[in-house]
Amino acid sequence: MAETVLDLDLSNIQGIGPRKREKLIDGGIESVLDLAAALPGDVKEVLGGNREGASRMLLSARIFLEKSGLMDKEFMTADEVLERRRTLMRCTTGSEGFDDLLKGGIETQAITELFGEFGTGKSQICHTLAAMCQLPLEEGGLGGTCLFIDTENTFRPERLKEIAEARELDSSEILKRVVLCKVYNSSHLELVVRSLGKYIEQYGARLVVVDSVISLHRAEFIGRGTLAERQQRLNDMIHRLLRVGEIYNVAVVVTNQVLARPDLFFGDPTKPTGGHVIAHACTYRIYLKKAARDRVAVIVDSPCHPYSETRFRITEKGIEDV
Ligand code: GTP
Ligand code: MG
């Protein structure tokens, strides 16, 4: 993981001389970690040349990280995978029931998607996590800061302060360790996600929140003709998020809206937006719904969790058990 002291200068990679190194840095690819998290198209854009050359360079960066133990090997035995999973960390959500649903909390090296109708508590969970991730590991946190990417202008520092105080945490410290990034359009969001590695290092982040992940794309790409491009760009962005989560050992939490499905007469008439692109890239998907005064969270499509659900409540502590 990124905390090991290791020389991650680009010059460690074969084929990167001083000139290429400088160009890459100018293009925002500043370290071997950034390079490994990049896409071939990014490198091609910065250095020119062909795609194969760019792909080879990315592969070299990955191999470098594998050898340094910072990244998974392409092929691993199951016990190696198990060992690797021991390095992942879990962040408490502030609700025991919710933590149990997730077998201990929000995981690093993964994307957790919260989806549900308006008012189901997606942003409230994000605010709570922004405080909880700062707790030390032994108290269930991740011992790091939170990068909070707000696309809907719904982040409220006052609310974060209230949550911290209700939990008897030092609210002025908590507020200092949540770094807010307001984004205004889909291109801006994509740009921020491209540079995420740099910000994670700069601010010592262990949690990245994107609230919400596709609303901007949805609002800007209207009509059938634009759907393919929208999905392509979302796909690109969400895979970058996943790679960044893996390489920097951070937890990534994204929120998503639901589509009304008036054509369905039975069952739940809602499903998350973003289609397969989002569905396949997210490691854990949690469906939130209202239940009188409370909220219900259901884990769906998880690779390793049985179907289960939990009730929680939105209070001055953020979220907590009923
Ligand atoms: P959209 O972003 O509109 O899709 O909704 P969301 O799922 O993000 O909803 P959000 O997390 O904003 O939850 C809104 C609900 O949280 C409201 O219906 C309120 O019941 C509750 N809530 C919001 N702010 C506070 C607060 O400061 N204190 C308490 N106790 N509850 C709050
Ligand atoms: Mg919200």
Side-chain angles (χ1 to χ4, degrees), residues 139-156:
E139 289 172 36
L142 301 174
T145 68
C146 170
L147 291 185
F148 201 112
I149 302 173
D150 183 12
T151 72
E152 305 194 314
N153 203 12
T154 52
F155 176 80
R156 293 288 171 270

Side-chain angles (χ1 to χ4, degrees), residues 193-213:
V193 169
R194 271 177 187 228
S195 316
L196 211 50
K198 191 170 65 190
Y199 299 126
I200 289 171
E201 292 203 273
Q202 184 178 340
Y203 294 107
R206 277 280 169 242
L207 170 68
V208 174
V209 170
V210 188
D211 185 18
S212 79
V213 76

